[in-house]
Amino acid sequence: MILSELKAYLQERGQATLADVVNHFDVDANVARDMLQVWIRKGQVQKLQAAASCGSSCSQCDAAATEIYVWGTPVEGRQFLRTDCG
């Protein structure tokens, strides 16, 4: 995975979880985070934490599924709900 491929992927999708990036590019989560961090430092990507939609605090959701990366300018207080928490 190179930065331009990651950029194109996020621009096309608008947003992706860490798990999406890891699966799409077949890389380790730490490698994906490092690449995403480059775009974060450049102000092109923001990292958001998903809000739990199940209403429980069981912490069974995979951390990689709750890290959401959004291409574009930061949006104050923006959160995303998980709908597949079970």
Side-chain angles (χ1 to χ4, degrees):
M1 169 179 61
I2 58 176
L3 287 174
S4 61
E5 292 173 332
L6 179 58
K7 174 183 177 179
Y9 179 72
L10 285 175
Q11 283 180 322
E12 180 181 309
R13 294 179 53 109
Q15 69 182 38
T17 65
L18 178 62
D20 291 337
V21 174
V22 165
N23 291 332
H24 181 79
F25 292 103
D26 193 28
V27 295
D28 180 74
N30 289 327
V31 170
R33 281 187 186 105
D34 289 345
M35 299 294 278
L36 288 157
Q37 192 60 42
V38 171
W39 289 115
I40 290 170
R41 283 194 304 268
K42 292 179 179 240
Q44 297 298 312
V45 169
Q46 71 171 322
K47 177 183 173 183
L48 303 174
Q49 208 59 42
S53 63
C54 65
S56 73
S57 58
C58 67
S59 302
Q60 291 183 1
C61 295
D62 180 12
T66 62
E67 281 183 43
I68 300 173
Y69 295 87
V70 180
W71 184 265
T73 56
V75 177
E76 192 68 31
R78 191 171 178 186
Q79 286 191 333
F80 293 82
L81 297 177
R82 299 285 303 161
T83 58
D84 60 351
C85 186

